[in-house]
């Protein structure tokens, strides 16, 4: 029957200080299905879903549940109707010093007059996790959980309420391939139990794997809605961008024998890394492949001197070298674009220009602004180059969409005149157009003779962009391969500890 078991948004518009973030958008989620919501960074996905979860009250338009008009103006309204949102930044919703069980039932515990019985809480938490079919020790402190586990806690929390519609905002951005597949299994279970799921993602192959319906937004407008299977990957990208995107990766550079920039032998750190050896030449892009926990971030930090490590032999620019400190690395013309960019050195309540003008070495030691005019010009250049969607250099970062904050964070690290650049998972949460821009930028850096280390769990990107790829598994390099004759499957095999038959 039309209207039954469905949540419908009609003619939704919202503006922030004169900027129309959404204009007359219609959106409809059915129970028992998974609905993909996609679009470029800043298209309005999070804003549309924030409205459904009661985070904004100043929108216009109508919302209907099972065909009846409902009012959603506060988070409480949304919860009472059974609508729950799991945000991309899972940490903001969790209390790290409490156990898994307490975090799952946090809303219950906060209810006035609640009587705290540990045994009861544990049992309820275990039942909820069992519904998701995940094994997680409910006694463990949340601060000791991985990102994937933290997501499971929030999913279990949503189920602890009456939950009919569940919104997942870029849930797979921080997950590796295996963790994502586990999440898909959970999503399928939720769907089978009758829940309508909204799944926001920039990875089109993922949408294909689990979604039934698809909606594409562009510049705050509805561009397409219908069955997932009706459009090919290319057609979806075209709808997102308004034009075709044929070449995602730059053309391969000619590889000639180039002088060595950096050589490391026998690198160990105090926890995970063992006997790492690698070499990076001028004009080369060296990929570091690995799943979550393999040691990619640890390796990037160790090379940059941001964590303690020992190297039996090291050479940088033809001189003997040991990683010492970020400050020392910067003075030796190294740069690191760290993975946890949002935590490590962006200032959410400052302007885009201010964020871009605090340079990499300054943010490790002290603040210093370079000339105002220079800062402004640099900001305009990065906004252009990385296609940051903003009203201009003076806009505060908080007002930018997630992916656009990410681009500013990347831009910030590109200022110092480094010739060994380390990128740790730079494309998380970034839309396909911006990825392409970023690849071009990295490729140009290599053409200028810089050496790039590119760590990622996105194997297709490594194959498309890099010259050589080292695969990390359990803190060790288990394979070194020329990118031109390697496949994603091979990288996955090595990165799970296997070897080709
Ligand atoms: N509170 C706010 N104040 C001002 N502008 C805002 C606010 N919230 C969102 N916007 C603007 O609305 C637009 C849509 O943002 P939204 O976060 O919905 O994008 P998104 O599609 O989720 O993008 P991403 O893929 O980068 O997460 C952006 O241009 C953003 O700058
Ligand atoms: Mg968003």
């Amino acid at each position: 029957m039309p209207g039954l078991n469905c949540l419908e948004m009609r003619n939704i518009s919202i503006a922030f200080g004169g900027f129309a973030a959404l204009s007359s958008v219609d959106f409809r989620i059915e129970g028992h299905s998974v609905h993909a919501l996609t679009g470029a960074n800043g298209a309005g996905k999070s804003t549309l879903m924030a409205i459904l979860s009661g985070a904004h009250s100043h929108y216009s338009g109508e919302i209907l549940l099972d065909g009846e008009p409902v009012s959603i103006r506060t988070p409480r309204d949304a919860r009472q109707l059974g609508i729950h949102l799991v945000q991309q930044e899972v940490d903001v919703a969790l209390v790290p010093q409490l156990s898994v069980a307490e975090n799952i039932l946090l809303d219950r515990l906060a209810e006035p007059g609640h009587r705290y019985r540990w045994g009861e809480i544990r049992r309820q938490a275990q039942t909820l996790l069992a519904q998701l079919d995940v094994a997680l020790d409910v006694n463990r402190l949340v601060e000791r959980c991985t990102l994937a586990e933290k997501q499971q806690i929030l999913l279990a929390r949503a189920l602890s309420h009456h939950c009919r519609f569940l919104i997942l905002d870029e849930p797979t951005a921080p997950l590796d391939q295996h963790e994502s597949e586990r999440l898909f299994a959970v999503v399928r279970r939720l769907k089978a139990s009758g829940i309508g799921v909204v799944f926001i993602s920039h990875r089109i192959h993922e949408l294909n794997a689990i979604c039934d319906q698809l909606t594409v937004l562009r510049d705050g407008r509805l561009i397409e809605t219908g069955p997932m299977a009706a459009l090919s990957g290319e057609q979806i990208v075209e709808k997102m961008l308004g034009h075709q995107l044929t070449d995602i990766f730059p053309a391969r550079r000619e590889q000639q024998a180039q002088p060595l920039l950096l050589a490391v032998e026998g690198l160990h750190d105090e926890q995970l890394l063992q006997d790492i050896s690698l070499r990076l030449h001028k004009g080369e892009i060296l990929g570091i492949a690995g799943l979550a926990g393999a040691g990619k971030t640890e390796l990037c930090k160790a090379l940059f001197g941001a964590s303690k490590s020992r190297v039996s032999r090291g050479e940088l620019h033809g001189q003997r070298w040991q990683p010492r400190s970020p400050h020392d690395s910067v003075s030796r013309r190294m740069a690191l674009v760290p993975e946890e960019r949002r935590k490590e050195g962006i200032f959410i309540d400052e302007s885009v220009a201010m964020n871009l003008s605090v340079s990499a070495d300054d943010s490790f030691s002290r603040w210093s602004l370079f000339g105002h005019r220079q800062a402004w010009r640099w900001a305009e250049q990065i906004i252009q180059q990385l296609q940051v969607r903003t009203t201009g250099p003076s806009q505060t970062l908080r007002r930018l969409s997630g992916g656009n904050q990410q681009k500013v964070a990347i831009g910030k690290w590109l200022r110092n005149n480094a010739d060994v650049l380390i990128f740790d998972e730079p494309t998380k949460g970034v839309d396909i157009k911006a990825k392409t821009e970023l690849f071009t930028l990295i490729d140009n850096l290599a053409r200028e003779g810089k050496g790039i280390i590119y760590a990622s769990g996105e194997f297709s990107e490594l194959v498309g962009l890099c010259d050589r790829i080292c695969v990390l598994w359990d803190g060790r390099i288990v394979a070194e391969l020329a990118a031109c004759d390697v496949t994603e499957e091979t990288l996955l095999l090595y990165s799970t500890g296997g070897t080709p038959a």
Side-chain angles (χ1 to χ4, degrees), residues 146 176 179 272-273 290-298 472-475:
T146 65
D176 74 25
E179 291 169 331
L272 186 61
L273 303 175
L291 299 178
K296 299 186 299 286
T297 296
E298 287 79 0
L472 268 181
W473 176 71
D474 200 22

Side-chain angles (χ1 to χ4, degrees), residues 16 19 21 41-47 170 202 389 399-403:
F16 298 101
F19 170 80
N41 295 135
K45 306 177 293 296
S46 296
T47 306
E170 295 196 42
H202 291 290
R389 196 182 152 147
R399 304 269 177 256
L400 265 52
S401 77

Side-chain angles (χ1 to χ4, degrees), residues 128 131-132 154-163 166 190 195:
L128 290 164
Q131 280 179 34
L132 295 172
L154 292 183
L155 291 172
R157 186 190 290 170
L159 295 189
S160 78
H161 299 274
H162 152 65
C163 178
L166 180 67
L190 294 173
I195 292 177

